[in-house]
Amino acid sequence: MLRQRLQHFSSLPPQQQQRMLNRMETWEHLTPAQKDQARQLFYRMRQLPPDRQRMVHTAIRDLRSLPPGQREQIIDSNRFRGMFSPQERDIMRGATRLPLAPAENGRPEE
């Protein structure tokens, strides 16, 4: 199984390999509480229908490019209250508070 994983990893483009390595490095440095929170958020996100997962994921990506105070304002805005359920906004809030790996374009990844 490990050989298969290594072969799969080796077959990926260099950018995707680096993204995976960045995520593993970030995960290694999270506290146990942050890891638990990330697992819970991932589980909650997977409970959403696929179209809602995509919308929440996109919102998280966009929110992470903003300063923390502005993120909160947007999550609590009337616009987001109309677009997202309280559960979805709670997932966003939790995800934007976790220290995550930077993306290739300099923006954090979820």
Side-chain angles (χ1 to χ4, degrees):
M1 188 167 92
L2 290 174
R3 283 186 185 153
Q4 287 176 335
R5 286 185 181 179
L6 182 57
Q7 286 174 340
H8 173 71
F9 180 80
S10 296
S11 72
L12 297 173
Q15 289 177 326
Q16 197 170 351
Q17 288 179 4
Q18 189 59 50
R19 190 169 51 241
M20 288 179 74
L21 292 172
N22 288 346
R23 287 179 178 167
M24 288 189 290
E25 176 74 16
T26 298
W27 183 259
E28 180 181 322
H29 293 287
L30 294 178
T31 66
Q34 288 171 324
K35 287 178 183 179
D36 286 343
Q37 182 183 9
R39 285 183 193 106
Q40 290 171 8
L41 289 168
F42 179 78
Y43 174 78
R44 291 175 61 199
M45 182 78 128
R46 299 315 263 165
Q47 301 306 305
L48 299 174
D51 63 322
R52 299 306 296 172
Q53 286 181 34
R54 282 188 294 279
M55 286 184 68
V56 171
H57 185 269
T58 299
I60 290 168
R61 186 189 65 229
D62 293 345
L63 287 164
R64 289 196 60 81
S65 69
L66 303 172
Q70 195 173 358
R71 294 175 196 164
E72 293 292 326
Q73 287 177 337
I74 291 173
I75 290 169
D76 291 333
S77 71
N78 287 334
R79 179 174 162 248
F80 265 46
R81 286 180 186 189
M83 291 174 59
F84 299 102
S85 72
Q87 176 192 7
E88 292 167 341
R89 290 186 299 112
D90 190 52
I91 291 170
M92 289 178 209
R93 190 173 282 109
T96 59
R97 290 179 181 165
L98 286 173
L100 300 171
E104 295 162 9
N105 62 3
R107 290 173 54 185
E109 290 221 4
E110 331 30 80

